[in-house]
Amino acid sequence: MPNRGSMDEPREQGKIMSNAHAFIDNEVKTNDVVLFMKGTPQFPMCGFSGQVVQILDYLGVPYKGVNVLEDDGIRQGIKDYSNWPTIPQLYVKGEFVGGCDIVREMFQSGELQSHLSDKGIAVRVPEKG
């Protein structure tokens, strides 16, 4: 008797990917700020994710962290969704902002703070002194 599982695999893979796409789309559209990352905001599992967490925490921006390590469909799906090859990925008001390098450069230039403020996201401005 032939193994029927192999015939269904592409269909199952497609279903998993479309479920991942629906999940990602929902997260991006229902959260003002969402970070697809390796690990969690409390326990980043890579330095790049950790850097973006530090920036967002420093700015006092409320955000949702999505751990891509928990689901391979989401891990690959977010790359397909944004057409961006690396993780972490930051979204603000449904719009892809960038990965670690872009977020860090925007933060250092003040552009990230302006972008967040322009989108109606409160940003803590550290006092000088």
Side-chain angles (χ1 to χ4, degrees):
M1 194 156 173
N3 179 354
R4 294 184 44 140
S6 61
M7 290 174 60
D8 292 335
E9 270 180 39
R11 192 176 318 129
E12 282 301 310
Q13 190 64 30
K15 198 185 299 181
I16 290 167
M17 289 310 288
S18 67
N19 287 348
H21 186 277
F23 172 81
I24 291 164
D25 199 49
N26 182 62
E27 291 298 321
V28 166
K29 291 178 177 168
T30 60
N31 294 287
D32 286 347
V33 182
V34 61
L35 178 64
F36 289 86
M37 61 181 293
K38 293 179 180 175
T40 64
Q42 297 77 21
F43 297 103
M45 300 296 282
C46 87
F48 300 113
S49 292
Q51 284 182 40
V52 177
V53 164
Q54 283 184 318
I55 289 168
L56 294 174
D57 288 350
Y58 179 80
L59 294 175
V61 173
Y63 64 96
K64 178 166 186 185
V66 177
N67 183 358
V68 301
L69 298 177
E70 291 180 344
D71 187 319
D72 282 339
I74 293 171
R75 187 176 188 169
Q76 182 56 48
I78 192 63
K79 296 175 185 181
D80 297 338
Y81 185 86
S82 62
N83 200 23
W84 189 261
T86 59
I87 295 165
Q89 294 185 15
L90 180 66
Y91 290 79
V92 175
K93 295 279 188 164
E95 177 182 86
F96 176 57
V97 175
C100 179
D101 291 346
I102 291 171
V103 170
R104 186 177 56 239
E105 288 168 18
M106 288 176 71
F107 168 70
Q108 289 169 344
S109 71
E111 190 181 344
L112 180 63
Q113 295 85 318
S114 300
H115 183 71
L116 290 162
S117 294
D118 291 349
K119 297 283 185 180
I121 310 291
V123 176
R124 181 175 58 224
V125 179
E127 293 179 25
K128 301 199 189 263

